[in-house]
Amino acid sequence: MHSEDLSGRRRLLLGAAAILAAPALIGETGSAAAQPTTRNIADILAGSPNFNTLLTVLSRAGFVDQLRGPGPLTAFAPTDAAFDAAPASLRQDLLAQGTGGGGTLSGASPDLVRLRAVLEYHAVRGPYRAADLRPDMTLTTVNGNTVRVVAAGNGGLALVNPAPATQSMGFGAGGLNVMPPAPIIQPDVIATNGIIHVIGGVLLP
């Protein structure tokens, strides 16, 4: 991706807010919970260098305004590294949507409804701090499907689709693209309209 293309996208997403730096901790070890903020979820993500792929698909799906809205929302935000670790066919499919190029899973034409369903699966209505999450807890996402909190191997928490073959708009039907648990690698990045948990995997409904 050319740097000028990325700069143009960020200007489109943020306007004047693009010059504000995101919390230094986002995408790194630690928590930004104690840092005051005057920015919404979309602005924090767009101010960080770690979410270029997520910003691309958010923009194409028209989901940015919802992340700028009053909320409150809890957003589970995959890093660029999380997208890079996903199967190549999945990345191609997601990134093709909204460009007119179709996708490897979706057929010959872009499917923005399907793309938006994936993004909405990464958001939950209401503010959930890490202290509110516990293993085996089930959350209803913005797209209506559920995501389950599970224990991670390092003593932390991760997120997983509890029923990939049966949920609506499913990418995992028939065992295709069933993703492993996505660990929460940085919890509690506080925005004016909710909370961001940075995750190390991509979630699929």
Side-chain angles (χ1 to χ4, degrees):
M1 180 181 297
H2 296 296
S3 59
E4 58 267 26
D5 294 338
L6 177 57
S7 297
R9 183 179 305 110
R10 284 188 172 153
R11 283 196 296 271
L12 178 64
L13 291 174
L14 289 176
I19 61 173
L20 297 175
L25 292 176
I26 195 160
E28 302 171 5
T29 303
S31 172
Q35 297 190 11
T37 184
T38 58
R39 288 160 298 160
N40 57 52
I41 291 170
D43 288 349
I44 289 176
L45 293 176
S48 168
N50 299 302
F51 301 99
N52 296 328
T53 304
L54 180 59
L55 289 169
T56 296
V57 292
L58 285 171
S59 179
R60 289 178 182 173
F63 195 54
V64 176
D65 286 345
Q66 192 158 349
L67 296 182
R68 279 202 182 116
L73 290 173
T74 299
F76 301 108
T79 62
D80 290 337
F83 278 102
D84 289 343
S89 59
L90 172 65
R91 293 197 308 273
Q92 293 167 5
D93 186 56
L94 292 176
L95 293 172
Q97 306 312 315
T99 65
T104 58
L105 300 178
S106 60
S109 61
D111 187 346
L112 295 182
V113 173
R114 194 159 170 264
L115 177 60
R116 191 176 178 95
V118 173
L119 296 171
E120 290 177 344
Y121 193 60
H122 288 78
V124 175
R125 291 188 175 88
Y128 288 88
R129 290 179 179 255
D132 301 320
L133 303 175
R134 61 186 184 278
D136 295 325
M137 182 179 189
T138 298
L139 302 170
T140 300
T141 66
V142 171
N143 82 356
N145 289 334
T146 59
V147 66
R148 180 174 294 157
V149 182
V150 297
N154 61 357
L157 296 173
L159 301 163
V160 67
N161 183 340
T166 61
Q167 301 214 62
S168 63
M169 301 300 296
F171 277 58
L176 296 173
N177 286 302
V178 176
M179 302 296 286
I184 297 176
I185 59 177
Q186 184 189 355
D188 295 340
V189 179
I190 307 302
T192 56
N193 59 344
I195 298 170
I196 302 168
H197 298 295
V198 181
I199 59 175
V202 179
L203 299 170
L204 295 179

